[in-house]
Amino acid sequence: MQRDVNQDLAREFGLSAEEYGRVLSIMGRPPSLTELGIFSVMWSEHCSYKSSRVWLKQLPTKAPWVIHGPGENAGVVDIGEGLAAIFKMESHNHPSFIEPYQGAATGVGGILRDVFTMGARPIANLNALRFGSPETTVTRRVVDGVVRGIGGYGNCVGVPTVGGEINFHPAYDGNPLVNAMTVGIARTDRIFLSAAAGVGNPVVYVGSKTGRDGIHGATMASAEFGADAEEKRPTVQVGDPFIEKLLIEACLELMETDAIIAIQDMGAAGLTSSAVEMAGKGGVGIALDLDAVPQRETGMSAYEMMLSESQERMLMVLRPDRQDAARAIFEKWELDFAVIGHLTDTGRITIRHQGVTEADIPLAPLADQAPLYHRPTAETDKPAILNPARVEDRVGLTGALLRLIACPDLCSRAWVWDQYDSTVGGQTVKRPGAADAAVVKIEGHAMALALTTDCTPRYCAADAEAGGAQAVAEAWRNITATGARPLAITDNMNFGNPEKPEIMGQFAAAIRGMAAACTALDFPVVSGNVSLYNETNGRAILPTPAIGGLGVIEDAAKAVGYALPPWLDVVLLGATKGWLGQSLWLREIAGREEGAPPPVDLKAEKQVGDFVRTQILAGTIRACHDVSDGGIMIAVAEMALAGKAGVRLSTGPRDIPGHAFWFGEDQGRYIVAVADGAGFIRAAEAAGIAAMKLGTSGGRDLTLPDGGTISLTMLAEAHARFFPEWMEKGA
Amino acid sequence: MKAGIVVFPGINRERDMAIALTAASGARPRMIWHQERDLAGLDLVVLPGGFSHGDYLRCGAMAARAPVMEAVRDFAARGGYVLGVCNGFQILTEAGLLPGALLRNASLRFLSMDCHLRVERTDTAFAGHYQKHAVFRAPMAHGDGNYFADAATLDRLEGEGLVGFRYAMPDGAITPEANRNGSQRNIAGIYSANLRVLGLMPHPEDLVDPLMGGTDGKPIFDALAATFAPRSRAA
């Protein structure tokens, strides 16, 4: 249907009156429908980062090992031996609520393409998931669909899903978060970028055919949900992991040759963003002939083709003399290969369809005059510190342990992991549930990567700056706890409506905290994604700056997990004050969500972490677990369950209330298992690190300092119960 | 040992299989594209795991009709050794080289976890390095591993001793609890009548290195390597 192009339509497409005015001044005439579509998606929050760009610039992005930071399809770091790790995390939040299976599946597919488009073979997938209250049947349906979708796509493409995290909170009712991360490996001298070059060179389309699915998906991802969320189902794309697998193999085969000048996947805003960004980055023009685009449906208009978000498609600029060889590779893999245009010296994108010029836009102003907002910020007052002595313990240590280990945020995730293929590739050294970070070896090399995703949204909600720093520090800590050296992070900033000053205040504060932690820990941001407007009916999610961390360990055989071996000393490293504010104990046992979250002492963080890593590599530490949600007691219980070894715990310090000591969430701490606890504590103290023996491993019971005894069998049953009972009970 | 691994579009455990075969025999296997027909000189043909043709239509159904499968059928008919793992097992049943079918898991969910397998006979080229009724661990990763055949076929397989591996508890007990995907009679792997074609649902190739958590799966590849070792190499 032909529509009049005017300000009303522009508003429908998500452009403000001011933005539409800017379109008119750039074009010098009213835009065509296709042109308006191109402006609206390129200037959408999702593609332009118009509200977040001013803040993202404050993040540290450089280190000697960073090869490519933000700005490319994914971040690239040097891991030695001539290899680079290429990784990124990206959200698919809005689609995953509307259609959980396809939303999550295509989230995995999209992030995979961001990584292999740079020349990397994907070797691991992770995810960070937040769901609404488990009390609702909607949440159950969303969890089921998201888990099936992640598995359905990842299992089929043959990339192991090795790690992730799941939280529940009513703030995610109606707006779950699905953040997917992919890590790949490439040779440092074979990294492919997206800047087009060479006037006259062919622009080639490969992969799946274009259909009408996902039209305007990027615009949907840049708006709040109201009661009409269901009506947006047609904007969710449908994935085909089989085609993706063929695309991976075909692209990697082509990348062995010198045919590719530039390559980019067609992600959000499909053909529009890939063509505009490739030409724009290369400072050239691009002319496309849409009649040549492989199409799945008949009668598609230029507008529909340019805005389609059909999955599993890539755009490449090839050397003209290698075009036939490239075509042969894609034909072998039974994928479409079509020359749909060429580079020009006009500095414009021109789009012809059935003999008519449907769009003719100058590229430089499309990029340079993209809106950039310094939105007003209003930071929330920081909550007061909760005095642990003022929080009464009514259930005792044993009762609290049994309730916490079984609660949705701490219970076993085995029901989820068991649906993800975590071993394909044959390189998974530490699978889900074995270590604080997944450890995946590089095939043919002794080294391995340590990978994790982290964020504690309830901390961020209470104090976004402290929470932002904590998310980065916890990722660093989880990598360190395996013995690996943390190298860099990718961030996935999930927030509410940026037009509200308090939301922008959360964003700014989180960035400030993250930047401080990244700087102190030498842990730069190399890629990322921003997802705003995560609100339903005006209610925002908890601020969730999810961090994907990557580290390297030169000898995979030295990596440790948290499974506790028997007959060792169990030692706590790092200072404990008994911080109950925003702890899970406070929420689950005392029924209170209050207080300041635990602060991260970044100097101490680095000092303790560097000591732990050195001791792991020296072989002194046999198992290691960071202390996070649920505090020391939960960390010890998780170690005991993973290692099937009991622990006899000693009495804690007298100057801290028992529940605060055992369940407090002070940061920068690790629990380690060593043969000679006394000697180890002396070494730690000599390095200026607080250390104390918690107990000794062995036997089949967890013996608590108050005399309570819980058998590992009983503990395991409590830990395992939630997901199977919740998910398998009738609809 | 000269092994070949067939690569169908959508297969994804061919690299894992190559690592296991290379580690056992010292020789890198040949990768065979699904449209090839030449299997000359091979001791062993492997159909690896994955999602051939996306598992669309039925798992393994389209791969079973690939040009290479005519060659595999001839190869098997001449007494060649064939190993099909996971999707490879599904392809073997779809191609009629082994009886029965692999249905959706009883739970209707993808299952990715370690299972235990009991070795039902050891006088084969595949299982000769295990003790009789040995129990070993292997990762499984499938949505359609629920072995089904009619009662007469199952009785024949049992009677002729063609059930090679069963899902078991770590102590070797054959129980419903051990049988996560709901297979008939806990069947995880079966042989052809001449014991030279093996279809196996779990992945021994992913447990051949202590770094990855164990070497439980390695004896299968060691046994094959020993079967096809040059005679000059003493056993």
Side-chain angles (χ1 to χ4, degrees):
Chain A
M1 192 178 75
Q2 198 59 41
R3 297 279 307 265
D4 287 340
V5 176
N6 53 33
Q7 195 165 311
D8 289 342
L9 187 64
R11 192 180 313 116
E12 228 176 273
F13 280 13
L15 290 174
S16 70
E18 193 274 333
E19 288 167 350
Y20 183 62
R22 213 182 279 208
V23 172
L24 291 176
S25 90
I26 290 172
M27 297 301 294
R29 58 172 167 81
S32 69
L33 178 69
T34 305
E35 288 167 341
L36 182 68
I38 291 172
F39 274 102
S40 73
V41 291
M42 290 312 295
W43 289 2
S44 69
E45 190 68 58
H46 192 81
C47 292
S48 74
Y49 296 88
K50 57 191 170 192
S51 302
S52 58
R53 256 189 300 162
V54 293
W55 298 105
L56 295 174
K57 278 188 204 148
Q58 299 182 8
L59 293 169
T61 59
K62 291 191 167 58
W65 51 88
V66 174
I67 298 174
H68 292 291
E72 288 300 332
N73 282 305
V76 183
V77 294
D78 191 332
I79 56 168
E81 301 179 32
L83 297 179
I86 301 185
F87 69 110
K88 188 180 176 186
M89 180 155 53
E90 199 164 76
S91 63
H92 234 211
N93 304 335
H94 294 78
S96 298
F97 178 64
I98 302 173
E99 212 310 275
Y101 185 98
Q102 289 298 343
T106 54
V108 174
I111 194 62
L112 279 163
R113 284 192 296 284
D114 275 334
V115 166
F116 73 76
T117 193
M118 297 194 74
R121 176 171 285 281
I123 64 160
N125 280 335
L126 294 91
N127 51 70
L129 311 177
R130 323 279 162 192
F131 300 110
S133 165
E135 307 294 319
T136 73
T137 51
V138 174
T139 301
R140 208 167 79 219
R141 178 183 67 89
V142 172
V143 170
D144 184 58
V146 166
V147 169
R148 284 182 192 271
I150 289 172
Y153 208 99
N155 298 345
C156 183
V157 294
V159 177
T161 301
V162 296
E165 55 171 351
I166 297 173
N167 291 148
F168 294 93
H169 194 281
Y172 302 104
D173 283 347
N175 204 128
L177 302 185
V178 174
N179 298 169
M181 171 170 162
T182 292
V183 183
I185 295 293
R187 277 167 44 193
T188 50
D189 60 352
R190 302 294 291 167
I191 291 166
F192 292 81
L193 304 180
S194 56
V199 171
N201 280 342
V203 175
V204 174
Y205 169 122
V206 298
S208 281
K209 295 186 199 307
T210 295
R212 287 192 171 91
D213 48 335
I215 289 174
H216 257 307
T219 308
M220 173 192 73
S222 307
E224 290 179 36
F225 277 164
D228 63 341
E230 280 292 309
E231 290 169 21
K232 295 187 175 173
R233 201 185 297 263
T235 54
V236 178
Q237 314 86 331
V238 176
D240 184 343
F242 170 57
I243 298 294
E244 179 101 336
K245 170 66 174 165
L246 303 185
L247 200 52
I248 293 174
E249 298 304 331
C251 286
L252 292 178
E253 194 173 323
L254 182 60
M255 284 162 170
E256 293 289 315
T257 74
D258 60 355
I260 298 175
I261 293 169
I263 178 167
Q264 175 152 336
D265 68 301
M266 294 190 221
L271 190 50
T272 292
S273 69
S274 52
V276 166
E277 286 173 15
M278 289 175 80
K281 277 184 189 168
V284 293
I286 188 166
L288 299 181
D289 175 8
L290 298 187
D291 297 328
V293 169
Q295 294 160 49
R296 199 195 303 144
E297 301 177 49
T298 54
M300 289 185 72
S301 67
Y303 167 81
E304 289 171 326
M305 274 190 264
M306 291 307 291
L307 276 283
S308 163
E309 291 191 4
S310 290
Q311 299 290 291
E312 294 93 23
R313 303 177 301 161
M314 315 281 276
L315 200 63
M316 310 186 293
V317 175
L318 296 182
R319 279 178 54 166
D321 56 334
R322 297 290 189 272
Q323 197 175 302
D324 291 341
R327 183 188 297 275
I329 289 173
F330 282 84
E331 281 175 356
K332 174 185 144 191
W333 288 99
E334 299 174 22
L335 293 168
D336 273 304
F337 178 103
V339 178
I340 63 164
H342 61 277
L343 300 183
T344 66
D345 59 2
T346 62
R348 305 175 75 86
I349 178 166
T350 59
I351 290 156
R352 286 179 67 78
H353 184 223
Q354 296 175 348
V356 177
T357 298
E358 294 282 355
D360 184 0
I361 303 174
L363 286 163
L366 178 59
D368 302 342
Q369 293 182 39
L372 180 64
Y373 294 128
H374 295 260
R375 297 199 187 273
T377 60
E379 294 201 17
T380 325
D381 290 341
K382 300 196 175 193
I385 294 169
L386 185 75
N387 180 353
R390 296 252 173 107
V391 187
E392 198 190 342
D393 175 16
R394 292 192 181 142
V395 301
L397 299 182
T398 307
L401 170 58
L402 282 174
R403 267 164 67 182
L404 279 172
I405 200 85
C407 79
D409 271 356
L410 286 175
C411 70
S412 167
R413 271 79 179 114
W415 180 89
V416 176
W417 304 328
D418 287 353
Q419 298 182 58
Y420 300 155
D421 188 344
S422 57
T423 54
V424 60
Q427 305 298 316
T428 309
V429 177
K430 299 289 180 199
R431 299 186 204 173
D436 281 344
V439 178
V440 181
K441 202 170 87 66
I442 312 293
E443 190 182 329
H445 295 255
M447 68 175 156
L449 298 182
L451 308 166
T452 179
T453 62
D454 292 288
C455 183
T456 312
R458 64 180 189 279
Y459 293 174
C460 299
D463 178 344
E465 181 173 2
Q470 192 275 340
V472 173
E474 186 168 354
W476 189 88
R477 203 180 298 147
N478 280 331
I479 291 166
T480 295
T482 65
R485 188 160 38 87
L487 290 180
I489 63 172
T490 179
D491 60 5
N492 203 148
M493 309 292 289
N494 308 274
F495 289 77
N497 182 345
E499 294 159 38
K500 297 180 182 170
E502 67 274 19
I503 299 291
M504 242 15 249
Q506 290 174 341
F507 194 91
I511 291 275
R512 205 160 57 234
M514 288 165 58
C518 289
T519 304
L521 301 172
D522 226 358
F523 200 31
V525 179
V526 295
S527 61
N529 170 245
V530 177
S531 172
L532 301 174
Y533 296 95
N534 289 290
E535 303 204 358
T536 298
N537 298 327
R539 200 163 136 242
I541 58 160
L542 304 183
T544 310
I547 303 299
L550 176 141
V552 67
I553 183 165
E554 273 72 24
D555 181 357
K558 290 185 173 166
V560 300
Y562 58 69
L564 185 62
W567 320 122
L568 292 176
D569 288 338
V570 178
V571 174
L572 172 72
L573 291 171
T576 301
K577 288 182 180 156
W579 195 284
L580 284 180
Q582 297 299 337
S583 67
L584 279 183
W585 184 93
L586 191 69
R587 191 182 84 190
E588 297 290 325
I589 307 298
R592 294 158 61 178
E593 293 181 65
E594 61 182 84
V600 180
D601 177 340
L602 292 167
K603 191 160 163 257
E605 182 78 53
K606 182 141 188 2
Q607 189 187 16
V608 180
D610 288 347
F611 177 77
V612 166
R613 194 177 315 106
T614 308
Q615 296 296 323
I616 291 172
L617 296 179
T620 316
I621 292 176
R622 303 271 305 280
C624 181
H625 195 8
D626 80 313
V627 181
S628 57
D629 284 349
I632 296 171
M633 186 69 85
I634 291 298
V636 168
E638 287 171 345
M639 295 177 79
L641 285 171
K644 297 186 171 62
V647 184
R648 178 172 289 275
L649 292 169
S650 323
T651 313
R654 285 198 189 81
D655 55 340
I656 301 175
H659 57 297
F661 176 77
W662 292 103
F663 295 105
E665 296 179 7
D666 303 83
Q667 297 294 298
R669 298 182 298 165
Y670 301 80
I671 295 173
V672 300
V674 296
D676 170 17
F680 183 82
I681 288 169
R682 275 196 303 278
E685 285 173 346
I689 290 163
M692 68 175 286
K693 185 173 162 179
L694 293 174
T696 311
S697 67
R700 291 163 177 234
D701 299 312
L702 190 56
T703 306
L704 305 191
D706 65 358
T709 295
I710 304 173
S711 73
L712 286 182
T713 313
M714 188 178 167
L715 198 63
E717 279 171 11
H719 192 45
R721 196 177 304 133
F722 172 72
F723 268 102
E725 282 189 1
W726 183 49
M727 295 307 299
E728 308 299 345
K729 75 183 172 195
Chain B
M1 172 171 65
K2 291 193 189 106
I5 299 175
V6 180
V7 179
F8 299 95
I11 282 295
N12 63 30
R13 263 184 166 84
E14 74 279 13
R15 299 157 71 88
D16 315 35
M17 188 59 78
I19 291 167
L21 289 166
T22 307
S25 71
R28 291 194 70 83
R30 196 177 115 199
M31 291 296 176
I32 302 161
W33 187 239
H34 66 120
Q35 286 172 338
E36 289 180 39
R37 292 166 194 270
D38 177 16
L39 304 177
L42 292 177
D43 298 317
L44 170 74
V45 172
V46 182
L47 311 183
F51 290 72
S52 57
H53 298 278
D55 275 356
Y56 298 143
L57 186 57
R58 267 192 327 273
C59 301
M62 284 187 268
R65 282 142 188 90
V68 72
M69 288 307 294
E70 288 172 31
V72 171
R73 232 179 252 112
D74 292 345
F75 179 80
R78 289 196 310 270
Y81 288 82
V82 180
L83 170 64
V85 171
C86 198
N87 200 207
F89 187 8
Q90 294 162 345
I91 295 167
L92 287 173
T93 61
E94 284 285 345
L97 282 162
L98 290 173
L102 283 311
L103 308 183
R104 297 243 58 200
N105 294 340
S107 64
L108 303 183
R109 290 189 185 277
F110 193 90
L111 292 172
S112 169
M113 60 199 53
D114 281 354
C115 62
H116 287 88
L117 297 177
R118 194 176 78 181
V119 183
E120 298 298 281
R121 64 185 295 169
T122 57
D123 56 342
T124 73
F126 302 90
H129 282 209
Y130 289 114
Q131 300 291 319
K132 175 127 198 213
H133 282 182
V135 176
F136 71 98
R137 200 158 52 87
M140 58 179 183
H142 58 247
D144 303 76
N146 179 355
Y147 184 75
F148 180 84
D150 59 37
T153 305
L154 292 170
D155 288 343
R156 180 178 65 77
L157 286 171
E158 304 257 19
E160 294 174 13
L162 300 180
V163 175
F165 301 88
R166 283 184 221 267
Y167 299 107
M169 300 301 286
D171 66 1
I174 304 297
T175 66
E177 189 189 350
N179 190 23
R180 300 289 295 259
N181 58 25
S183 289
Q184 297 285 311
R185 304 188 191 182
N186 285 50
I187 289 172
I190 55 171
Y191 289 107
S192 61
N194 69 357
L195 301 174
R196 292 184 174 199
V197 179
L198 169 65
L200 180 64
M201 210 57 218
H203 294 281
E205 74 274 21
D206 281 325
L207 215 50
V208 296
D209 182 339
L211 253 183
M212 311 310 155
T215 54
D216 281 48
K218 197 164 177 292
I220 289 189
F221 303 98
D222 288 343
L224 286 166
T227 301
F228 302 111
R231 294 199 194 285
S232 57
R233 217 174 82 191

